Amino acid sequence: MSGFNLLNIGSQALLANRTALSTVSQNISNASTEGYSRQKAEFVSVVGRNGTYIHDISRSTDQFITQQYWSDRSTYESLNLKDTYISQTDNLLASSSTSISASLDTYYVAMQNAVDDPASLANRELFVEEVDALKRRFNNLSAQLNTQNDAINATMTASANNLKEYSTSIAQLNEQIDYLISRDQPVNELLDQRDLLVNKISAIVDVNVVEQGNKFNMFIGNGQPLIVGTTVNEIELRTGNPDTSQPDLYINMNGSSVEITQHVSGGILGGAQNFRDEVLNPSINELGRIALALA
């Protein structure tokens, strides 16, 4: 082996290991960066024992595990939000200071006393006071349940706005990544940013990610496309029908709108919708039925 070849092998090794050290330095400096994936320099031997070079700087990620994490994140956020609001509703209905049952007990005791001694002015006045107290208790509980409904609406509005923002950013990254890869430019950081945005979207709604070439296509509900390449279909809240106090979710596609309220699952939007249908609305309706029967 000639001296020139030895020098060439040495210079190649120096350049390759300098790149590898640069990659290690990048990993260390981004150890606390949200969404950053550790990078690894892929060494390849030159044919004929003529040295080495860096074939690629790869990300230490597993697409299957990443997809599973997105799914689990969506489930967690949905159940966590539902649990938070259920606890609030349970406290309202069970607490002696806000529940109907405690007020009904005192109401019926006062009624029985007035019946037992109808000539007693004190018993009659006490019964009238308990009627007013029971009426206030119904009104206060109804108002607090409506406050919960307003809170759910505000949560859904904020989530829909965030969903629009994240979706737009992913579509832009799809375009940038595709452009840079076609010119053999590094895109690892952009891929990390895109995965992080998908993670944030999965916290809002359950999403199915389909990789097509260098781009992510994303679908929600019954397969409605949220992102296709660089195109984003906007999610928005509109006045509910028939209950105008509870807005519905729509997706705008090709100039038309499709309601997806009952088809959205997972994430904050799915959890909010699930709580509204299974807990809040039945509570409001049952309170109304009790008041009507009592009246």
Side-chain angles (χ1 to χ4, degrees):
M1 181 177 291
S2 67
F4 174 77
N5 283 342
L6 289 175
L7 290 174
N8 187 48
I9 292 174
S11 64
Q12 284 182 341
L14 180 62
L15 291 173
N17 282 279
R18 185 175 68 178
T19 301
L21 285 174
S22 177
T23 302
V24 172
S25 176
Q26 176 78 351
N27 290 335
I28 294 173
S29 63
N30 285 279
S32 300
T33 300
E34 184 183 15
Y36 180 81
S37 298
R38 185 173 62 85
Q39 299 181 13
K40 178 182 179 181
E42 303 287 349
F43 284 84
V44 175
S45 177
V46 178
V47 178
R49 300 171 65 188
N50 288 317
T52 187
Y53 68 95
I54 300 294
H55 170 68
D56 187 27
I57 305 295
S58 61
R59 296 191 306 152
S60 297
T61 61
D62 185 290
Q63 196 59 34
F64 173 78
I65 295 176
T66 301
Q67 292 265 12
Q68 189 61 47
Y69 176 76
W70 292 336
S71 177
D72 292 344
R73 174 78 187 276
S74 182
T75 301
Y76 168 79
E77 293 295 341
S78 175
L79 295 176
N80 184 58
L81 181 135
K82 186 178 178 181
D83 177 69
T84 299
Y85 280 107
I86 285 178
S87 297
Q88 295 176 8
T89 305
D90 184 63
N91 290 334
L92 284 175
L93 300 177
S95 173
S96 60
S97 61
T98 56
S99 72
I100 294 298
S101 59
S103 190
L104 279 173
D105 289 341
T106 57
Y107 166 80
Y108 282 117
V109 169
M111 176 188 287
Q112 188 63 49
N113 290 336
V115 170
D116 291 341
D117 188 5
S120 171
L121 182 61
N123 286 346
R124 290 160 62 185
E125 288 178 346
L126 179 61
F127 175 63
V128 171
E129 290 176 1
E130 289 299 335
V131 170
D132 289 337
L134 181 60
K135 180 182 67 175
R136 289 194 299 271
R137 183 64 61 89
F138 270 99
N139 290 335
N140 289 338
L141 183 55
S142 176
Q144 292 186 66
L145 290 175
N146 287 330
T147 298
Q148 272 200 320
N149 184 62
D150 293 339
I152 285 291
N153 292 344
T155 297
M156 294 179 69
T157 299
S159 296
N161 291 336
N162 289 337
L163 185 59
K164 178 182 178 181
E165 177 186 346
Y166 299 151
S167 299
T168 301
S169 297
I170 288 178
Q172 293 171 350
L173 284 171
N174 276 342
E175 185 175 17
Q176 294 176 35
I177 290 169
D178 192 49
Y179 175 83
L180 292 174
I181 288 179
S182 67
R183 284 156 179 77
D184 200 27
Q185 297 295 312
V187 295
N188 284 344
E189 282 73 17
L190 295 181
L191 294 174
D192 286 341
Q193 292 176 30
R194 187 172 65 180
D195 283 354
L196 179 60
L197 287 168
V198 176
N199 182 39
K200 291 181 177 180
I201 286 180
S202 69
I204 297 174
V205 65
D206 188 26
V207 62
N208 181 29
V209 180
V210 177
E211 193 167 358
Q212 184 177 26
N214 302 316
K215 301 175 181 178
F216 274 179
N217 296 332
M218 302 176 65
F219 303 87
I220 62 175
N222 282 346
Q224 284 83 8
L226 178 64
I227 304 171
V228 179
T230 59
T231 301
V232 178
N233 294 319
E234 182 180 346
I235 300 292
E236 66 175 356
L237 289 175
R238 296 183 183 176
T239 302
N241 182 23
D243 188 348
T244 57
S245 70
Q246 297 185 344
D248 293 324
L249 279 169
Y250 284 80
I251 184 169
N252 299 320
M253 301 181 296
N254 301 320
S256 63
S257 298
V258 178
E259 184 187 351
I260 58 173
T261 309
Q262 300 300 326
H263 304 300
V264 167
S265 63
I268 294 173
L269 287 178
Q273 176 65 26
N274 193 261
F275 167 77
R276 197 169 71 178
D277 290 346
E278 295 186 2
V279 180
L280 182 60
N281 286 347
S283 298
I284 293 174
N285 294 338
E286 190 62 29
L287 180 65
R289 281 192 288 268
I290 293 174
L292 184 62
L294 184 63

